[in-house]
Amino acid sequence: LDRNVEWQPLEFEGRHVLEIGCGSLLGFGPMALYRGAASYTAIEPWFDPCVFDEPAIVDSYFLAVFKDMVALYGPRMEFPEFMELLKTRSRVVREPLLETTLTGPFDVVLSNSCLEHIFDFQESMVTLNGLCTTDCRHLHLVDFSNHRSTKSLFADLYAMEPENYLKRFDDAINLLRPPDTLSAMREAGFDVGLVPVFHYKEFFEGPVHDYWTERYGEDDLFMATALIHGPLKTAGGEPQA
């Protein structure tokens, strides 16, 4: 982002942070709370709060994360205080975004390889927009690959229409390509941009169904990951209206 846009580092001090899909170990929560977030909330249907009290996880994971935070951002607290923060200032709701009971508002929204798993994406983004402050900061890493253990990141993905692909393999990814994801978020009211992280066509042998070639160029079809960020900045560095 520093190389491609007028990006300002995210501030967490006093902010209310929301993560979509924090996984089993609280995702960005430890970092956000260590850096002074007022609260950290996550949407994750599979989260189990027992991780806070499981010695093997506390000693092998959370302690390691704490050491990293001290190294990166300087000493701010002792480890017991850090664990207390995780327990008392974090909240995880086990519900889909579209059905969330959260009310917000949130100042920072993050996700890591999650947006591509959300179905009813447009409606979910409208719901998300209703949870955000007007100047909410966004940072989302989106993985557009097939999420399968194949030599090519896009094996079989473009051999058929999306409906048939989902029937044949699974429904874990929504198959939205970069312009679809960006457009849906903008239509939902988010002032966001997209920066490619890397493209990867190596080992791909096709075929490519007409459905894909009629709608997308090669750059969009083989963009493996991208960062969606916002709000966008004008040439003068101020947020767009």
Side-chain angles (χ1 to χ4, degrees):
L1 289 172
D2 283 339
R3 290 194 300 268
N4 288 277
V5 297
E6 292 185 42
W7 175 251
Q8 296 297 318
L10 293 176
E11 294 290 341
F12 290 94
E13 193 73 42
R15 296 332 196 249
H16 296 283
V17 179
L18 173 66
E19 181 170 4
I20 308 169
C22 70
S24 60
L25 295 172
L26 221 60
F28 289 112
M31 182 271 293
L33 291 170
Y34 185 86
R35 294 181 62 184
S39 69
Y40 168 83
T41 304
I43 295 174
E44 179 54 71
W46 307 110
F47 182 73
D48 185 345
C50 290
V51 296
F52 295 134
D53 300 308
E54 175 56 50
I57 295 175
V58 172
D59 293 341
S60 65
Y61 180 74
F62 288 119
L63 179 57
V65 170
F66 174 75
K67 292 175 180 177
D68 286 343
M69 294 300 100
V70 173
L72 289 168
Y73 305 111
R76 299 189 61 161
M77 64 192 72
E78 300 294 329
F79 183 60
E81 181 183 353
F82 174 71
M83 288 304 304
E84 187 65 19
L85 276 180
L86 297 189
K87 294 178 182 179
T88 59
R89 290 198 190 176
S90 64
R91 176 190 179 193
V92 182
V93 294
R94 304 186 211 183
E95 56 196 17
L97 177 57
L98 194 57
E99 302 171 13
T100 185
T101 55
L102 295 173
T103 56
F106 296 101
D107 307 298
V108 179
V109 179
L110 308 167
S111 72
N112 181 23
S113 189
C114 181
L115 297 190
E116 68 271 17
H117 296 293
I118 297 177
F119 285 78
D120 299 317
F121 187 77
Q122 177 71 55
E123 294 86 349
S124 296
M125 292 301 101
V126 171
T127 298
L128 178 62
N129 192 22
L131 301 175
C132 298
T133 59
T134 55
D135 57 350
C136 180
R137 299 289 306 278
H138 285 262
L139 184 57
H140 306 276
L141 178 70
V142 188
D143 182 348
F144 296 102
S145 73
N146 62 14
H147 288 249
R148 294 164 46 220
S149 298
T150 54
K151 192 172 184 178
S152 165
L153 296 180
F154 299 97
D156 305 311
L157 198 62
Y158 302 130
M160 60 202 82
E161 294 179 332
E163 181 179 355
N164 292 327
Y165 181 88
L166 294 176
K167 287 180 180 178
R168 178 176 175 182
F169 294 99
D170 55 44
D171 60 354
I173 53 176
N174 56 32
L175 296 183
L176 297 179
R177 298 298 86 192
D180 305 325
T181 304
L182 186 61
S183 176
M185 293 191 71
R186 287 177 170 173
E187 288 178 15
F190 293 116
D191 181 25
V192 291
L194 182 148
V195 171
V197 176
F198 79 106
H199 292 76
Y200 197 84
K201 193 177 179 181
E202 191 170 1
F203 305 118
F204 182 81
E205 297 178 352
V208 179
H209 191 279
D210 289 346
Y211 173 92
W212 299 102
T213 56
E214 290 172 359
R215 290 168 171 79
Y216 307 97
E218 185 170 296
D219 282 350
D220 290 328
L221 291 177
F222 294 99
M223 190 182 302
T225 59
L227 289 168
I228 292 181
H229 62 93
L232 296 174
K233 303 289 183 180
T234 64
E238 295 298 320
Q240 293 183 354

